[in-house]
Amino acid sequence: MSTLSTLVERHGPLGAADLEWLHLLVGDWQVVSDLAFADLVLWLPTTDGDFVAIAQCRPSTGATVHYDDVVGSSAPEGQRPQLQRSLDERRQQRSREPRWFGSYAVREEAVPVVHDGRAIAVIARQTNLGGARTPSRLELNYVEAADEIFGMVARGEFPAPDAPTGPRRGAPRVGDGLVRLNSEGEVLYASPNALSCFHRLGALGDLVGRSLVEVTADLLPEERSTVDESMPLVLMGRAPWRTDVEARGVALSLRAVPLLEQGHRIGAVVLCRDVSELRRRERELITKDATIREIHHRVKNNLQTVAALLRLQSRRMTSPEARDALAEAMRRVATIALVHDSLSQTIDESVPFDDLVGRSLRLAADAASAGARVRTTVAGTFGSIPAEDATALALVLTELVTNAVEHGFEGRESGAVEIVVERTGDDLTVRVDDDGAGIPEGRGAGSGLGTQIVQTLVSNELRGTIEWGQRPEGGTSVRVTATLRGSRDLPTSG
């Protein structure tokens, strides 16, 4: 489906500022649709005198008019005159008689979208009258607030450029709770859900006639060390911002929509939502993430301690073979410690592998080179590797580089090892090339402990394959394929 920007560019090019204004409007008009119990369709005048729908919104508080998507379609013949009058006169236009959509009637209104004194588009406000009945006090207050906002749209006073548009975790919606304020910040009306929110916070009695900011201030604990400076502005309806209020274990998310007329504030709508459970879960997740990072940090410290003990033990060995074996074990433990060190510094259960592999390979090459100058390079990027695969992959690469340096550059003063990486989604291919002596004839890759470790890790942990071969220009080339654990394979928290 075409985006708003694409449709504007295709049918009626607007300036960048006008296009941004429409994006701000569409980013915040779900609130207006819910207040009005109406479908909203944004019509753009085209260069050939027609109108094309570039966005639409359905109410979550009432029955929809458009069950099908109308974005990209032209305006119906009978609706165009109303849209054109609204655009030309920069005034709201309401049909005298409802228009019938099949078996139900629809009340239509056209609202010009004004920016910098110019009408750049028209909103069609369409209310399904199929379930018409005597409106309740809540519905009357909803619609009155919607009327005020549509008047602001027609005067170029809505949306507010600094309003918090777009979806946000825990953001209040119209049905969660609504409070209408006058210009002094006193409550004119509070919906039943809004009353419940403030009662849970500790407010007693009705809110009507009381200052919302004073009511809330009396509920806040006196020992609070910090105060959100935006809170009184939101509670008085002076700024189109969001804030959170917490007291007695209850957390409310609040959002203000100031109502303006010719630049003067005449009141406000404050939306509220009880987000206590959501905030509790967020705190649990933060605590869990911190605990996981601390565990990785402690594991890294313990592994470094093990590596230090192996180093001490190797110094007491008189047998060269035993000393070399302990040195290899120490190197493998150090590689695993590097993975846990990376995990202790991130909130994700994944490792930024490019940083880690650079450190790991340099350490492996320096330890195995015995004085020879070895240059290691990496072509391509690994990206983020899931924690379950990072340890195995780091060990495999360390073993392959160590093996290339120890056996390929024996008796030489210098050499080069290149890691070539290709990754497509969860499929990873790594090639380790060296310019050393190559694989001896008839011996193949060998059957040492390092080779066995690599083969086991690749087949069992990385679900892949490994192949050894000769490079045409001399040296060895090892090709490893792996299937990483994607997001669909990672465990999900309950």
Side-chain angles (χ1 to χ4, degrees):
M1 184 179 69
S2 298
T3 64
L4 186 150
S5 298
T6 304
L7 289 169
V8 168
E9 183 179 357
R10 183 186 306 162
H11 295 284
L14 296 175
D18 291 338
L19 179 59
E20 180 61 24
W21 189 258
L22 294 183
H23 276 294
L24 285 173
L25 174 65
V26 170
D28 208 23
W29 69 348
Q30 184 64 58
V31 170
V32 190
S33 175
D34 291 342
L35 288 172
F37 302 94
D39 284 68
L40 305 182
V41 180
L42 183 59
W43 295 100
L44 178 75
T46 63
T47 53
D48 58 0
D50 199 356
F51 287 86
V52 63
I54 59 175
Q56 76 177 104
C57 182
R58 297 181 178 91
S60 59
T61 52
T64 185
V65 172
H66 299 288
Y67 290 92
D68 297 325
D69 190 9
V70 300
V71 173
S73 63
S74 296
E77 193 70 36
Q79 193 178 4
R80 290 179 195 171
Q82 184 189 53
L83 297 176
Q84 191 64 52
R85 282 197 308 273
S86 178
L87 188 73
D88 294 340
E89 300 175 12
R90 286 193 300 162
R91 289 194 304 111
Q92 301 180 61
Q93 304 284 337
R94 173 173 291 187
S95 299
R96 295 182 180 179
E97 298 294 332
R99 191 155 63 97
W100 287 86
F101 282 67
S103 60
Y104 55 88
V106 173
R107 184 173 62 242
E108 291 186 318
E109 183 175 348
V111 181
V113 179
V114 175
H115 181 231
D116 285 342
R118 296 173 293 103
I120 59 175
V122 183
I123 295 177
R125 174 183 178 181
Q126 299 176 306
T127 306
N128 189 332
L129 301 178
R133 54 185 173 79
T134 303
S136 65
R137 188 181 174 202
L138 178 144
E139 292 170 337
L140 288 173
N141 276 276
Y142 275 23
V143 173
E144 287 175 7
D147 291 341
E148 296 284 0
I149 296 176
F150 279 119
M152 292 167 60
V153 172
R155 293 189 296 271
E157 298 175 315
F158 186 90
D162 53 349
T165 59
R168 177 191 170 195
R169 186 175 175 85
R173 300 157 298 192
V174 169
D176 295 323
L178 177 141
V179 179
R180 288 187 68 193
L181 305 178
N182 63 15
S183 59
E184 302 300 320
E186 296 171 340
V187 177
L188 298 175
Y189 172 77
S191 71
N193 284 345
L195 282 174
S196 297
C197 286
F198 281 92
H199 287 169
R200 283 193 286 271
L201 199 66
L204 301 177
D206 197 2
L207 295 178
V208 174
R210 302 165 67 183
S211 169
L212 189 62
V213 69
E214 292 179 4
V215 169
T216 307
D218 292 340
L219 303 176
L220 299 179
E222 295 181 359
E223 63 275 10
R224 286 186 61 161
S225 57
T226 59
V227 177
D228 184 356
E229 295 180 355
S230 66
M231 186 183 300
L233 296 176
V234 171
L235 290 169
M236 295 187 70
R238 291 186 175 180
W241 297 341
R242 289 183 182 137
T243 188
D244 281 0
V245 176
E246 294 194 35
R248 298 171 176 81
V250 176
L252 297 186
S253 177
L254 303 172
R255 184 226 168 149
V257 181
L259 302 178
L260 308 175
E261 187 171 344
Q262 304 300 339
H264 299 287
R265 185 167 50 84
I266 60 174
V269 171
V270 176
L271 306 179
C272 57
R273 178 182 179 184
D274 186 343
V275 291
S276 306
E277 187 63 21
L278 182 61
R279 296 293 180 261
R280 184 186 68 81
R281 291 182 180 179
E282 288 176 348
R283 285 192 288 269
E284 286 181 351
L285 287 174
I286 292 172
T287 303
K288 179 182 176 182
D289 288 339
T291 302
I292 291 173
R293 289 198 299 273
E294 179 62 21
I295 289 172
H296 284 305
H297 181 71
R298 294 188 181 187
V299 170
K300 183 261 296 185
N301 289 344
N302 290 339
L303 289 171
Q304 288 179 336
T305 301
V306 172
L309 292 174
L310 290 172
R311 188 181 301 109
L312 288 173
Q313 187 67 41
S314 68
R315 291 173 181 172
R316 292 177 173 270
M317 290 293 170
T318 57
S319 169
E321 291 82 2
R323 190 180 297 114
D324 291 343
L326 287 174
E328 288 184 2
M330 182 177 62
R331 185 188 66 246
R332 290 162 185 152
V333 171
T335 298
I336 299 173
L338 278 177
V339 176
H340 285 281
D341 184 36
S342 294
L343 287 169
S344 69
Q345 300 174 33
T346 177
I347 61 174
D348 300 319
E349 278 297 289
S350 60
V351 177
F353 206 77
D354 294 290
D355 296 335
L356 182 145
V357 77
R359 288 185 294 162
S360 177
L361 297 186
R362 282 193 298 271
L363 289 174
D366 292 344
S369 61
R373 296 189 305 274
V374 177
R375 180 169 55 89
T376 58
T377 58
V378 179
T381 58
F382 289 89
S384 291
I385 301 294
E388 295 90 334
D389 296 327
T391 300
L393 184 59
L395 282 172
V396 167
L397 294 177
T398 301
E399 290 293 334
L400 292 176
V401 171
T402 302
N403 186 68
V405 175
E406 284 184 344
H407 302 292
F409 303 145
E410 190 174 359
R412 292 175 51 176
E413 294 183 357
S414 63
V417 178
E418 182 183 24
I419 313 295
V420 181
V421 187
E422 294 179 9
R423 180 172 178 181
T424 306
D426 299 332
D427 296 324
L428 178 69
T429 301
V430 182
R431 203 175 70 245
V432 181
D433 295 342
D434 67 71
D435 59 356
I439 302 174
E441 281 245 11
R443 285 184 52 188
S447 57
L449 178 60
T451 303
Q452 293 178 19
I453 290 174
V454 167
Q455 289 176 325
T456 301
L457 290 174
V458 170
S459 59
N460 294 347
E461 298 296 323
L462 299 176
R463 300 159 299 284
T465 60
I466 183 168
E467 301 172 356
W468 278 268
Q470 297 276 14
R471 295 177 69 209
E473 60 270 37
T476 306
S477 179
V478 184
R479 184 175 183 272
V480 176
T481 64
T483 304
L484 304 175
R485 291 174 173 87
S487 57
R488 63 183 181 278
D489 303 318
L490 297 178
T492 57
S493 58

